[in-house]
Amino acid sequence: MWEYQKMLAHPIKIKNTDAKAAQVIMSQLGGPNGEMGASTRYLNQRYTMPYDKVKAMLTDIGTEELGHAEMVATLIHQLTRDLSMDEIKASGFDTYFVDHTVGVFPQAAGGTPFSTATLQVTGDPIADLMEDLAAEQKARVSYDNILRLVDDPDVRNVIKFLREREIVHFQRFGDSLGVVQDNLNSKNFYAFNPGFDRSQGNMPGNMQGNMPGNMPGNQTGKKR
Amino acid sequence: MNEREKMLMAVQQYHFAMEDAGLYLDSHPEDMKALAYFNKISELCKQAMADYEAKFGPLTIASAAGTERWTWIDSPWPWEMED
């Protein structure tokens, strides 16, 4: 379960309003490569991940991403809360303002509301970790693009911190994929789905007749 | 940076180091050096949190206990800047 710590993961103190910056940064809250998507993927993939190390990794990175979502929302809030009507009209922020005022609404910069249609939980440990590796790269790209668009040094420092964390998470998911592969037969990683087959004995057709105890990947000897 | 921000920054730094070490330990649970580092940092983090809370109020609901009023609600909240 989650408990709240009454602090940001990294300090954020933005002195100047900037509606255009808020508009693009918004994507890292509710967009396809954003923090809400990341935490949704990882926290929901945990349930069908059979290896302790990876259950922990998904839980811990998923939790860290919730803190990052809070940071992005804080950036948006601080960039917009003191906007004047003139700034709102001149910046193109009026199309957001009409429905959300300066509320923080999770959507992509282009206006598409946050959706799990941009992410996957496949229930297959290899595919899920590949999804996560890609997610971290996509997040890194979006932060790179934000750095091309935003000049304020207070904002840039926060974005650089968040971007660096995506790169570290990518490394950690690489470690996690290694854990999964170490538990499978290197002659055929795809012989069965360790997120489903071991618990049900639902072996794919070409493995019929093999007892679960003799299955590749059961070298730890651990019984479920 | 005022005193509150300085003391909170110490918590944020130790907490971050702890969290990052924890991610490494998730895939390397037998790394003794990493474990020793984690233990050291988490002690420093606990201390920094206690120091902060003594002066500026609770960082978690659990440490909101024992006061004359429910200080958990007090500003500033993390997304706010002090005016």
PDB file of all heavy atoms in Angstrom, chain A residues 11 15-16 24 29-30 42 47-48 59 67 69 80 86 98 135 137 140 155 157 159 179 181 184 214-215 217 221 223:
ATOM      1  N   PRO A  11      13.345  19.485  -4.953  1.00  0.00           N
ATOM      2  CA  PRO A  11      12.709  20.794  -4.759  1.00  0.00           C
ATOM      3  C   PRO A  11      12.289  21.437  -6.090  1.00  0.00           C
ATOM      4  O   PRO A  11      12.969  21.291  -7.101  1.00  0.00           O
ATOM      5  CB  PRO A  11      13.794  21.636  -4.074  1.00  0.00           C
ATOM      6  CG  PRO A  11      15.027  20.836  -4.045  1.00  0.00           C
ATOM      7  CD  PRO A  11      14.730  19.446  -4.460  1.00  0.00           C
ATOM      8  N   LYS A  15       9.817  30.741 -10.374  1.00  0.00           N
ATOM      9  CA  LYS A  15       9.478  32.116 -10.051  1.00  0.00           C
ATOM     10  C   LYS A  15       8.570  32.764 -11.100  1.00  0.00           C
ATOM     11  O   LYS A  15       7.843  33.704 -10.790  1.00  0.00           O
ATOM     12  CB  LYS A  15      10.765  32.946  -9.913  1.00  0.00           C
ATOM     13  CG  LYS A  15      11.709  32.433  -8.823  1.00  0.00           C
ATOM     14  CD  LYS A  15      12.953  33.297  -8.696  1.00  0.00           C
ATOM     15  CE  LYS A  15      14.176  32.514  -8.264  1.00  0.00           C
ATOM     16  NZ  LYS A  15      14.831  31.731  -9.350  1.00  0.00           N
ATOM     17  N   ASN A  16       8.644  32.325 -12.343  1.00  0.00           N
ATOM     18  CA  ASN A  16       7.908  33.002 -13.424  1.00  0.00           C
ATOM     19  C   ASN A  16       6.847  32.110 -14.038  1.00  0.00           C
ATOM     20  O   ASN A  16       7.084  30.939 -14.272  1.00  0.00           O
ATOM     21  CB  ASN A  16       8.887  33.419 -14.532  1.00  0.00           C
ATOM     22  CG  ASN A  16       9.980  34.319 -13.999  1.00  0.00           C
ATOM     23  OD1 ASN A  16       9.693  35.301 -13.305  1.00  0.00           O
ATOM     24  ND2 ASN A  16      11.218  33.977 -14.278  1.00  0.00           N
ATOM     25  N   VAL A  24       3.544  22.209 -22.831  1.00  0.00           N
ATOM     26  CA  VAL A  24       4.317  21.055 -23.310  1.00  0.00           C
ATOM     27  C   VAL A  24       4.704  20.114 -22.174  1.00  0.00           C
ATOM     28  O   VAL A  24       4.703  18.894 -22.337  1.00  0.00           O
ATOM     29  CB  VAL A  24       5.567  21.470 -24.139  1.00  0.00           C
ATOM     30  CG1 VAL A  24       5.151  22.260 -25.361  1.00  0.00           C
ATOM     31  CG2 VAL A  24       6.577  22.240 -23.322  1.00  0.00           C
ATOM     32  N   LEU A  29       2.835  14.504 -17.680  1.00  0.00           N
ATOM     33  CA  LEU A  29       1.883  14.045 -16.671  1.00  0.00           C
ATOM     34  C   LEU A  29       0.904  13.071 -17.324  1.00  0.00           C
ATOM     35  O   LEU A  29       0.852  11.893 -16.963  1.00  0.00           O
ATOM     36  CB  LEU A  29       1.138  15.236 -16.051  1.00  0.00           C
ATOM     37  CG  LEU A  29       0.110  14.861 -14.989  1.00  0.00           C
ATOM     38  CD1 LEU A  29       0.759  14.219 -13.775  1.00  0.00           C
ATOM     39  CD2 LEU A  29      -0.721  16.069 -14.543  1.00  0.00           C
ATOM     40  N   GLY A  30       0.164  13.538 -18.339  1.00  0.00           N
ATOM     41  CA  GLY A  30      -0.929  12.732 -18.885  1.00  0.00           C
ATOM     42  C   GLY A  30      -0.756  12.269 -20.315  1.00  0.00           C
ATOM     43  O   GLY A  30      -1.693  11.752 -20.916  1.00  0.00           O
ATOM     44  N   TYR A  42       3.983  -0.187 -14.493  1.00  0.00           N
ATOM     45  CA  TYR A  42       4.825  -0.972 -13.589  1.00  0.00           C
ATOM     46  C   TYR A  42       4.016  -1.537 -12.425  1.00  0.00           C
ATOM     47  O   TYR A  42       4.144  -2.708 -12.078  1.00  0.00           O
ATOM     48  CB  TYR A  42       6.003  -0.142 -13.065  1.00  0.00           C
ATOM     49  CG  TYR A  42       6.750   0.622 -14.126  1.00  0.00           C
ATOM     50  CD1 TYR A  42       7.388   1.812 -13.827  1.00  0.00           C
ATOM     51  CD2 TYR A  42       6.795   0.169 -15.447  1.00  0.00           C
ATOM     52  CE1 TYR A  42       8.063   2.527 -14.810  1.00  0.00           C
ATOM     53  CE2 TYR A  42       7.458   0.880 -16.429  1.00  0.00           C
ATOM     54  CZ  TYR A  42       8.086   2.060 -16.110  1.00  0.00           C
ATOM     55  OH  TYR A  42       8.746   2.770 -17.070  1.00  0.00           O
ATOM     56  N   TYR A  47       1.734  -7.994 -10.722  1.00  0.00           N
ATOM     57  CA  TYR A  47       0.907  -9.098 -10.217  1.00  0.00           C
ATOM     58  C   TYR A  47       1.196 -10.408 -10.928  1.00  0.00           C
ATOM     59  O   TYR A  47       1.072 -11.474 -10.344  1.00  0.00           O
ATOM     60  CB  TYR A  47      -0.583  -8.717 -10.313  1.00  0.00           C
ATOM     61  CG  TYR A  47      -0.869  -7.421  -9.611  1.00  0.00           C
ATOM     62  CD1 TYR A  47      -1.233  -6.283 -10.319  1.00  0.00           C
ATOM     63  CD2 TYR A  47      -0.705  -7.309  -8.228  1.00  0.00           C
ATOM     64  CE1 TYR A  47      -1.448  -5.073  -9.672  1.00  0.00           C
ATOM     65  CE2 TYR A  47      -0.909  -6.099  -7.578  1.00  0.00           C
ATOM     66  CZ  TYR A  47      -1.274  -4.988  -8.307  1.00  0.00           C
ATOM     67  OH  TYR A  47      -1.462  -3.793  -7.664  1.00  0.00           O
ATOM     68  N   THR A  48       1.597 -10.329 -12.204  1.00  0.00           N
ATOM     69  CA  THR A  48       1.890 -11.569 -12.935  1.00  0.00           C
ATOM     70  C   THR A  48       3.383 -11.749 -13.167  1.00  0.00           C
ATOM     71  O   THR A  48       3.798 -12.509 -14.039  1.00  0.00           O
ATOM     72  CB  THR A  48       1.158 -11.590 -14.294  1.00  0.00           C
ATOM     73  OG1 THR A  48       1.332 -10.321 -14.942  1.00  0.00           O
ATOM     74  CG2 THR A  48      -0.314 -11.876 -14.116  1.00  0.00           C
ATOM     75  N   THR A  59       7.576  -2.608  -8.266  1.00  0.00           N
ATOM     76  CA  THR A  59       6.926  -1.879  -7.170  1.00  0.00           C
ATOM     77  C   THR A  59       7.669  -0.583  -6.879  1.00  0.00           C
ATOM     78  O   THR A  59       7.065   0.496  -6.754  1.00  0.00           O
ATOM     79  CB  THR A  59       6.903  -2.746  -5.891  1.00  0.00           C
ATOM     80  OG1 THR A  59       6.128  -3.911  -6.144  1.00  0.00           O
ATOM     81  CG2 THR A  59       6.298  -1.978  -4.724  1.00  0.00           C
ATOM     82  N   GLY A  67       5.809   9.739  -7.489  1.00  0.00           N
ATOM     83  CA  GLY A  67       6.443  10.955  -6.990  1.00  0.00           C
ATOM     84  C   GLY A  67       6.843  11.889  -8.131  1.00  0.00           C
ATOM     85  O   GLY A  67       6.806  13.114  -7.992  1.00  0.00           O
ATOM     86  N   ALA A  69       5.208  12.029 -11.079  1.00  0.00           N
ATOM     87  CA  ALA A  69       3.955  12.604 -11.561  1.00  0.00           C
ATOM     88  C   ALA A  69       3.603  13.833 -10.723  1.00  0.00           C
ATOM     89  O   ALA A  69       3.173  14.868 -11.249  1.00  0.00           O
ATOM     90  CB  ALA A  69       2.829  11.577 -11.505  1.00  0.00           C
ATOM     91  N   THR A  80       1.413  28.064 -13.968  1.00  0.00           N
ATOM     92  CA  THR A  80       0.131  28.586 -14.451  1.00  0.00           C
ATOM     93  C   THR A  80      -0.715  29.318 -13.413  1.00  0.00           C
ATOM     94  O   THR A  80      -1.628  30.066 -13.786  1.00  0.00           O
ATOM     95  CB  THR A  80      -0.739  27.441 -15.012  1.00  0.00           C
ATOM     96  OG1 THR A  80      -0.942  26.464 -13.988  1.00  0.00           O
ATOM     97  CG2 THR A  80      -0.101  26.794 -16.221  1.00  0.00           C
ATOM     98  N   ASP A  86      -4.386  38.218 -20.048  1.00  0.00           N
ATOM     99  CA  ASP A  86      -3.647  38.588 -21.268  1.00  0.00           C
ATOM    100  C   ASP A  86      -2.674  37.467 -21.672  1.00  0.00           C
ATOM    101  O   ASP A  86      -2.586  37.107 -22.841  1.00  0.00           O
ATOM    102  CB  ASP A  86      -2.866  39.888 -21.044  1.00  0.00           C
ATOM    103  CG  ASP A  86      -3.782  41.111 -21.101  1.00  0.00           C
ATOM    104  OD1 ASP A  86      -4.897  40.988 -21.645  1.00  0.00           O
ATOM    105  OD2 ASP A  86      -3.382  42.179 -20.587  1.00  0.00           O
ATOM    106  N   VAL A  98     -10.355  27.155 -20.957  1.00  0.00           N
ATOM    107  CA  VAL A  98     -11.816  27.189 -21.032  1.00  0.00           C
ATOM    108  C   VAL A  98     -12.429  25.989 -20.302  1.00  0.00           C
ATOM    109  O   VAL A  98     -13.467  26.117 -19.657  1.00  0.00           O
ATOM    110  CB  VAL A  98     -12.305  27.273 -22.499  1.00  0.00           C
ATOM    111  CG1 VAL A  98     -11.978  26.008 -23.283  1.00  0.00           C
ATOM    112  CG2 VAL A  98     -13.788  27.560 -22.555  1.00  0.00           C
ATOM    113  N   ALA A 135       9.218   2.301 -22.647  1.00  0.00           N
ATOM    114  CA  ALA A 135       8.580   3.416 -21.948  1.00  0.00           C
ATOM    115  C   ALA A 135       9.625   4.399 -21.411  1.00  0.00           C
ATOM    116  O   ALA A 135       9.458   5.618 -21.506  1.00  0.00           O
ATOM    117  CB  ALA A 135       7.704   2.904 -20.801  1.00  0.00           C
ATOM    118  N   GLN A 137      12.654   4.898 -22.539  1.00  0.00           N
ATOM    119  CA  GLN A 137      13.257   5.634 -23.656  1.00  0.00           C
ATOM    120  C   GLN A 137      12.316   6.718 -24.166  1.00  0.00           C
ATOM    121  O   GLN A 137      12.741   7.842 -24.468  1.00  0.00           O
ATOM    122  CB  GLN A 137      13.616   4.671 -24.808  1.00  0.00           C
ATOM    123  CG  GLN A 137      14.841   3.819 -24.531  1.00  0.00           C
ATOM    124  CD  GLN A 137      16.118   4.644 -24.409  1.00  0.00           C
ATOM    125  OE1 GLN A 137      16.255   5.708 -24.998  1.00  0.00           O
ATOM    126  NE2 GLN A 137      17.061   4.144 -23.618  1.00  0.00           N
ATOM    127  N   ARG A 140      12.412   9.594 -21.882  1.00  0.00           N
ATOM    128  CA  ARG A 140      13.671  10.320 -22.080  1.00  0.00           C
ATOM    129  C   ARG A 140      13.572  11.228 -23.306  1.00  0.00           C
ATOM    130  O   ARG A 140      13.984  12.390 -23.260  1.00  0.00           O
ATOM    131  CB  ARG A 140      14.808   9.298 -22.244  1.00  0.00           C
ATOM    132  CG  ARG A 140      16.215   9.845 -22.226  1.00  0.00           C
ATOM    133  CD  ARG A 140      16.796  10.107 -23.593  1.00  0.00           C
ATOM    134  NE  ARG A 140      16.668   8.985 -24.509  1.00  0.00           N
ATOM    135  CZ  ARG A 140      16.780   9.087 -25.825  1.00  0.00           C
ATOM    136  NH1 ARG A 140      17.032  10.258 -26.388  1.00  0.00           N
ATOM    137  NH2 ARG A 140      16.650   8.017 -26.590  1.00  0.00           N
ATOM    138  N   VAL A 155      13.083  25.607 -14.275  1.00  0.00           N
ATOM    139  CA  VAL A 155      12.338  24.491 -14.869  1.00  0.00           C
ATOM    140  C   VAL A 155      13.309  23.460 -15.430  1.00  0.00           C
ATOM    141  O   VAL A 155      13.155  22.251 -15.212  1.00  0.00           O
ATOM    142  CB  VAL A 155      11.397  24.997 -15.991  1.00  0.00           C
ATOM    143  CG1 VAL A 155      10.702  23.833 -16.684  1.00  0.00           C
ATOM    144  CG2 VAL A 155      10.369  25.969 -15.429  1.00  0.00           C
ATOM    145  N   ASN A 157      16.324  22.602 -14.605  1.00  0.00           N
ATOM    146  CA  ASN A 157      16.982  21.762 -13.591  1.00  0.00           C
ATOM    147  C   ASN A 157      16.101  20.589 -13.173  1.00  0.00           C
ATOM    148  O   ASN A 157      16.581  19.471 -13.000  1.00  0.00           O
ATOM    149  CB  ASN A 157      17.337  22.586 -12.354  1.00  0.00           C
ATOM    150  CG  ASN A 157      18.579  23.414 -12.587  1.00  0.00           C
ATOM    151  OD1 ASN A 157      19.384  23.094 -13.456  1.00  0.00           O
ATOM    152  ND2 ASN A 157      18.740  24.477 -11.820  1.00  0.00           N
ATOM    153  N   ILE A 159      13.616  19.276 -14.978  1.00  0.00           N
ATOM    154  CA  ILE A 159      13.456  18.380 -16.138  1.00  0.00           C
ATOM    155  C   ILE A 159      14.700  17.504 -16.302  1.00  0.00           C
ATOM    156  O   ILE A 159      14.593  16.302 -16.598  1.00  0.00           O
ATOM    157  CB  ILE A 159      13.184  19.200 -17.418  1.00  0.00           C
ATOM    158  CG1 ILE A 159      11.880  19.992 -17.303  1.00  0.00           C
ATOM    159  CG2 ILE A 159      13.152  18.299 -18.652  1.00  0.00           C
ATOM    160  CD1 ILE A 159      10.615  19.143 -17.202  1.00  0.00           C
ATOM    161  N   VAL A 179      17.270 -10.997 -15.131  1.00  0.00           N
ATOM    162  CA  VAL A 179      16.750 -11.909 -14.095  1.00  0.00           C
ATOM    163  C   VAL A 179      15.750 -12.890 -14.704  1.00  0.00           C
ATOM    164  O   VAL A 179      15.801 -14.093 -14.450  1.00  0.00           O
ATOM    165  CB  VAL A 179      16.081 -11.102 -12.957  1.00  0.00           C
ATOM    166  CG1 VAL A 179      15.322 -12.025 -12.007  1.00  0.00           C
ATOM    167  CG2 VAL A 179      17.128 -10.315 -12.178  1.00  0.00           C
ATOM    168  N   GLN A 181      15.448 -13.814 -17.863  1.00  0.00           N
ATOM    169  CA  GLN A 181      16.124 -14.733 -18.796  1.00  0.00           C
ATOM    170  C   GLN A 181      16.954 -15.773 -18.054  1.00  0.00           C
ATOM    171  O   GLN A 181      17.029 -16.933 -18.474  1.00  0.00           O
ATOM    172  CB  GLN A 181      16.981 -13.933 -19.780  1.00  0.00           C
ATOM    173  CG  GLN A 181      16.127 -13.148 -20.775  1.00  0.00           C
ATOM    174  CD  GLN A 181      16.920 -12.178 -21.622  1.00  0.00           C
ATOM    175  OE1 GLN A 181      18.009 -11.755 -21.239  1.00  0.00           O
ATOM    176  NE2 GLN A 181      16.393 -11.813 -22.772  1.00  0.00           N
ATOM    177  N   LEU A 184      14.987 -18.780 -17.313  1.00  0.00           N
ATOM    178  CA  LEU A 184      14.392 -19.501 -18.446  1.00  0.00           C
ATOM    179  C   LEU A 184      15.470 -20.256 -19.210  1.00  0.00           C
ATOM    180  O   LEU A 184      16.656 -20.040 -19.004  1.00  0.00           O
ATOM    181  CB  LEU A 184      13.678 -18.511 -19.374  1.00  0.00           C
ATOM    182  CG  LEU A 184      12.471 -17.801 -18.758  1.00  0.00           C
ATOM    183  CD1 LEU A 184      11.971 -16.706 -19.681  1.00  0.00           C
ATOM    184  CD2 LEU A 184      11.351 -18.800 -18.466  1.00  0.00           C
ATOM    185  N   ASN A 214      10.114 -30.616 -14.095  1.00  0.00           N
ATOM    186  CA  ASN A 214      11.210 -30.753 -15.059  1.00  0.00           C
ATOM    187  C   ASN A 214      11.272 -29.595 -16.021  1.00  0.00           C
ATOM    188  O   ASN A 214      12.061 -29.594 -16.945  1.00  0.00           O
ATOM    189  CB  ASN A 214      11.033 -32.050 -15.870  1.00  0.00           C
ATOM    190  CG  ASN A 214      11.103 -33.260 -14.972  1.00  0.00           C
ATOM    191  OD1 ASN A 214      11.766 -33.221 -13.954  1.00  0.00           O
ATOM    192  ND2 ASN A 214      10.406 -34.302 -15.331  1.00  0.00           N
ATOM    193  N   MET A 215      10.410 -28.623 -15.840  1.00  0.00           N
ATOM    194  CA  MET A 215      10.343 -27.518 -16.778  1.00  0.00           C
ATOM    195  C   MET A 215      11.588 -26.672 -16.674  1.00  0.00           C
ATOM    196  O   MET A 215      12.105 -26.449 -15.585  1.00  0.00           O
ATOM    197  CB  MET A 215       9.126 -26.634 -16.503  1.00  0.00           C
ATOM    198  CG  MET A 215       7.811 -27.249 -16.901  1.00  0.00           C
ATOM    199  SD  MET A 215       7.834 -27.845 -18.594  1.00  0.00           S
ATOM    200  CE  MET A 215       8.116 -26.336 -19.461  1.00  0.00           C
ATOM    201  N   GLY A 217      13.641 -23.470 -16.184  1.00  0.00           N
ATOM    202  CA  GLY A 217      13.280 -22.312 -15.372  1.00  0.00           C
ATOM    203  C   GLY A 217      12.939 -22.706 -13.959  1.00  0.00           C
ATOM    204  O   GLY A 217      12.831 -21.859 -13.082  1.00  0.00           O
ATOM    205  N   GLY A 221      14.207 -24.686  -7.820  1.00  0.00           N
ATOM    206  CA  GLY A 221      13.614 -25.702  -6.961  1.00  0.00           C
ATOM    207  C   GLY A 221      12.482 -25.173  -6.114  1.00  0.00           C
ATOM    208  O   GLY A 221      11.938 -25.880  -5.280  1.00  0.00           O
ATOM    209  N   LYS A 223       8.913 -24.285  -5.009  1.00  0.00           N
ATOM    210  CA  LYS A 223       7.549 -24.674  -5.340  1.00  0.00           C
ATOM    211  C   LYS A 223       6.689 -23.452  -5.231  1.00  0.00           C
ATOM    212  O   LYS A 223       6.896 -22.580  -4.405  1.00  0.00           O
ATOM    213  CB  LYS A 223       7.069 -25.729  -4.359  1.00  0.00           C
ATOM    214  CG  LYS A 223       7.767 -27.033  -4.562  1.00  0.00           C
ATOM    215  CD  LYS A 223       6.911 -28.225  -4.136  1.00  0.00           C
ATOM    216  CE  LYS A 223       7.600 -29.509  -4.517  1.00  0.00           C
ATOM    217  NZ  LYS A 223       6.933 -30.162  -5.616  1.00  0.00           N
TER     218      LYS A 223
END
